[in-house]
Structures are given as structure tokens and as C-alpha cells.
Amino acid sequence: MKAALLIADGFEDAEAVVIYDILRRLHIDVTLISCAASGRLTVKSYFSLSVHADDHIDNLALAHYDAVIIPGGPDSTMRMATDPQVIDFIRRHDAWGEWVCALCSAPARVLGNNHLLHHRRYTCSGDLWMQCPEGTYTGENVVIDGNLITGKGLGVAFEFAFAVAEKLLKTPNPGRNQANHIYFSHPV
């Protein structure tokens, strides 16, 4: 299984790192793909963490992944939403029936603003759903509809990552075992 994790300047640090960490722990091949301007591989997160990506979106016109994952971050998702190469990359994978996975602001900004929700059920952070011309907002933590997986935000990053892993691995067992190993009891 191969997953593409798209990051642009301003990506949400913890969302990207949690997703990357969980998928790698479950032996899923994750390629960090820079969507930064000018072909840069080094991308700065929302809190200025520098991450060196494996490749740049400019080089991947013919690439094929089992999942395309887009973490949130206001600046990152606004940039990706207006980048024709990013939208084409996502649209192509969606048309192939591969997993399209978006967290936090990404479902509304990147997918919704580019008519990629296709009237499917989804969730996202805050009231960004009000700006989506299509799709059915649910407000749930994680929503799976067809080949679309969406998550509400940073607070559900683990739940989102395990949902993605379960679909990629086609079984819940490795993810559940890893969740039991990582999760801790949290008083309400």
C-alpha cells in the first residue's frame, strides 16, 4: 500500500505527523509530497517546523497511490485549493477510486471548493462547511463515504489515521492493536 501525504507551507504540524507516524508504524509506504511553490522540497508547517519532503507534486504527473491524504492548516489548504497540479492529482486519484482522505480545513477548502465532494457525506473543522457548494456535512469526527475519508480536525487525528490505515490494509486488526498500544485513558 502506498499513500501520498500532501503538504504545503502552513500545514498543520500535528495532523501531518500523527498521520505519517501511524501509517508508517503499520508498514504503509508514505511519500511526503511537497506542494510548495518553485519546486521546493522543504516545507514549513503552521508553527515553522521544517520538513523535507520526498518529492514535489511537479514530478508526479504519472504517479499512482492507493491513498491521497491532505492534512489541514489554513495557509496550506488555501494554497492547495488554488493549485491546478494539486487539484488534478487529487481528481485523478478520486476518478480511479483510490482513497481521498482530508482532515480539518482540507475537506471544505481543497475538496469542497473544487467540486470534489461529489455530494458525498463529509466533515470538516469549524463552520467551513457553510462555504461548500456540494456534499452533505455531518459534523461527525470521521466520515467515510465511498472512497472519501474526512476528519473534523486535530483532535481526531489519531482516529482519522487509523480509519485510513484500516481501509488501506483492508482489515481493522493491525490498526486496533496499534491503537491499544498507543492510546491512553483520558478522563472526561
Side-chain angles (χ1 to χ4, degrees):
M1 294 283 105
K2 293 185 345 179
L5 181 58
L6 306 183
I7 55 174
D9 288 320
F11 71 90
E12 175 56 52
D13 310 56
E15 290 174 6
V17 170
V18 165
I19 295 164
Y20 183 84
D21 181 90
I22 296 297
L23 297 182
R24 291 299 308 239
R25 285 178 192 268
L26 293 170
H27 309 290
I28 295 169
D29 183 15
V30 181
T31 302
L32 279 171
I33 298 175
S34 169
C35 300
S38 306
R40 283 185 297 112
L41 287 180
T42 301
V43 181
K44 289 223 181 222
S45 72
Y46 186 75
F47 290 111
S48 298
L49 174 70
S50 289
V51 174
H52 189 78
D54 300 309
D55 211 335
H56 194 276
I57 194 80
D58 290 349
N59 303 326
L60 300 170
L62 302 176
H64 188 175
Y65 293 88
D66 301 298
V68 176
I69 306 165
I70 314 147
D75 292 342
S76 174
T77 55
M78 285 190 282
R79 283 185 179 104
M80 283 196 251
T82 60
D83 185 326
Q85 284 184 292
V86 171
I87 300 309
D88 181 60
F89 186 83
I90 297 166
R91 186 171 276 124
R92 197 169 58 246
H93 283 82
D94 189 28
W96 290 334
E98 304 301 356
W99 292 103
V100 174
C101 315
L103 183 59
C104 197
S105 59
R109 286 200 177 120
V110 179
L111 304 180
N113 287 339
N114 286 287
H115 306 285
L116 289 164
L117 290 174
H118 304 296
H119 306 290
R120 294 176 281 197
R121 296 172 55 250
Y122 76 97
T123 193
C124 65
S125 64
D127 62 359
L128 291 173
W129 62 272
M130 296 173 80
Q131 302 167 15
C132 288
E134 59 184 36
T136 303
Y137 173 76
T138 69
E140 297 170 59
N141 285 347
V142 175
V143 176
I144 301 171
D145 189 342
N147 65 319
L148 177 68
I149 303 173
T150 55
K152 197 164 184 109
L154 175 57
V156 301
F158 278 92
E159 187 179 345
F160 175 82
F162 283 120
V164 171
E166 181 176 320
K167 294 303 180 184
L168 285 171
L169 296 171
K170 299 178 178 149
T171 178
N173 295 336
R176 288 186 184 153
N177 292 340
Q178 190 64 38
N180 288 332
H181 175 71
I182 290 176
Y183 279 155
F184 58 93
S185 298
H186 189 281
V188 180

